[in-house]
Amino acid sequence: NQPARTLWYDRKKYVTINFVVQNPKDVQVDIQDTKVILSCKDVDDNNIYNEIEFYDKVFKADSREKVFDRTINLLIRKVKENVAWPRLQKDLAKPAWLLVDFDNWRDWEHEEEEGMAEYEDFVDMLNEMKNKGEPPAMDDLDDLSD
């Protein structure tokens, strides 16, 4: 048995895991509340096996997997939403086959703060507009329709 190269990234409600396997066959994905087990064969008939004990509990009933030509994608629903996972596994030791998917990684913890800053800028802009005095009278617009 050999493990599949595994890419993962964190979102507010889900963790996404992509097992990179060329033309996977006999795919078995066992998502449990505390771990996932993947077993399959690759294009060369090698036995692929990954077992990942999750950093935190998940809802197995709300989790999904989809098999593609080059990957097996898992969408794992977190029990504790809005809590960032610093790593995928409970274990601190990171295996060589497990990598963060930086193409899809987002530091979403600060999304609200950025949104709040934008909102505050918007409120400042509105306040500035209010402080500029009365809006211009529009009663001369009728003259345009002649």
Side-chain angles (χ1 to χ4, degrees):
N1 284 353
Q2 64 186 51
R5 188 165 153 255
T6 307
L7 299 167
W8 79 282
Y9 59 96
D10 188 26
R11 287 289 190 268
K12 289 185 179 202
K13 296 181 181 181
Y14 291 92
V15 171
T16 300
I17 304 170
N18 294 317
F19 295 104
V20 181
V21 181
Q22 209 51 35
N23 299 332
K25 326 185 260 285
D26 307 329
V27 177
Q28 292 183 326
V29 178
D30 181 12
I31 299 170
Q32 300 172 20
D33 291 333
T34 57
K35 68 180 177 178
V36 63
I37 298 169
L38 165 79
S39 67
C40 65
K41 290 186 182 290
D42 67 8
V43 68
D44 299 320
D45 263 353
N46 295 311
N47 288 321
I48 305 296
Y49 181 86
N50 291 66
E51 185 170 341
I52 299 170
E53 190 169 344
F54 294 128
Y55 172 76
D56 205 347
K57 277 196 172 347
V58 303
F59 287 118
K60 68 178 179 182
D62 276 357
S63 300
R64 302 280 175 268
E65 77 265 357
K66 192 162 169 72
V67 179
F68 295 97
D69 290 344
R70 293 190 182 93
T71 58
I72 300 154
N73 295 6
L74 275 55
L75 194 61
I76 308 289
R77 178 81 186 267
K78 300 188 308 192
V79 169
K80 292 181 194 155
E81 294 181 4
N82 299 318
V83 175
W85 284 20
R87 58 189 181 279
L88 180 60
Q89 294 193 151
K90 192 176 225 45
D91 193 359
L92 281 169
K94 188 172 83 73
W97 49 263
L98 182 60
L99 306 159
V100 170
D101 184 350
F102 284 107
D103 291 342
N104 288 301
W105 189 268
R106 234 190 292 154
D107 189 5
W108 57 259
E109 281 180 89
H110 303 297
E111 275 178 17
E112 267 117 42
E113 289 168 27
E114 287 166 18
M116 203 60 208
E118 281 174 26
Y119 174 74
E120 284 167 8
D121 289 347
F122 179 68
V123 169
D124 289 346
M125 190 176 78
L126 286 178
N127 286 335
E128 267 179 49
M129 288 167 74
K130 270 193 245 167
N131 296 338
K132 291 222 163 63
E134 288 296 306
M138 299 285 183
D139 54 6
D140 58 344
L141 289 178
D142 293 341
D143 300 343
L144 296 175
S145 60
D146 293 342

